[in-house]
Amino acid sequence: MIELVYPTIERRVTQAYMARPGYYARFGLAGNDGIDLAAPEGSPILAVMAGSVTRVGWKVPGHPYGYAVRTETRAGNHIYEWVYAHLIDGSSPLRVGDVILAGALIGYCGRTGNSQGFHLHASLKCKGATLENRTRQPNDLIDPTILIDLAVFDPNRFKGLKP
């Protein structure tokens, strides 16, 4: 069984997957490509699933995700990539190649990139989803909502985690 951990100290969705299609069309998307979760400024962000770290930092300067951490998880015949976006610049203790458990500290909530307020933007990709016509989004982006909804919310995981 795969352990799923809720990534923010608040359990509240502020923007659903595929919301606001008109706004996200300018980025070539059919709507919000992930899920936005409430998180106070500077609060810890935790890994939803175990995996390995594939990227830490800005993809390119000015990228809409801002400062982000990407992790990859193999589950069955699928490879999933989580993107944890809008973190405080430089706040992640992780390095590319690190192997992490679900609940590991990813970084701290900021508002880098295309963010109009403090929150976590969590995107999920499944390798091959676009080619196999399993998503309306480009770049293998799929709906992370079911995994977020199944994730265990435990406020005690956040104790002692300070920026």
Side-chain angles (χ1 to χ4, degrees):
M1 176 136 174
I2 296 174
E3 182 181 15
L4 299 171
V5 171
Y6 203 84
T8 57
I9 198 160
E10 292 185 30
R11 191 174 182 110
R12 183 168 52 94
V13 174
T14 58
Q15 191 173 115
Y17 179 74
M18 296 296 283
R20 301 179 61 201
Y23 177 80
Y24 288 97
R26 66 180 165 169
F27 302 111
L29 301 169
N32 188 6
D33 71 350
I35 189 170
D36 293 346
L37 303 172
E41 177 181 3
S43 62
I45 303 298
L46 306 180
V48 175
M49 298 170 75
S52 59
V53 178
T54 58
R55 181 175 296 181
V56 177
W58 292 77
K59 185 173 181 182
V60 294
H63 190 276
Y65 286 158
Y67 186 85
V69 172
R70 294 170 185 250
T71 64
E72 189 172 275
T73 303
R74 294 178 185 273
N77 294 329
H78 300 289
I79 300 172
Y80 296 97
E81 180 185 49
W82 283 96
V83 180
Y84 303 89
H86 306 314
L87 305 176
I88 294 174
D89 199 347
S91 71
S92 180
L94 302 173
R95 302 289 173 255
V96 172
D98 286 351
V99 175
I100 60 170
L101 298 174
L105 178 64
I106 292 291
Y108 293 89
C109 180
R111 55 177 296 180
T112 56
N114 183 34
S115 172
Q116 298 171 353
F118 294 100
H119 69 282
L120 170 65
H121 175 82
S123 290
L124 180 61
K125 297 181 178 190
C126 182
K127 304 286 175 152
T130 301
L131 185 62
E132 295 166 6
N133 211 21
R134 290 187 285 138
T135 181
R136 291 179 29 218
Q137 297 277 31
N139 306 315
D140 295 330
L141 288 155
I142 63 170
D143 187 353
T145 305
I146 190 167
L147 294 179
I148 294 290
D149 286 349
L150 292 172
V152 174
F153 177 69
D154 181 2
N156 292 320
R157 287 187 178 268
F158 297 89
K159 289 183 179 173
L161 298 176
K162 307 241 188 271

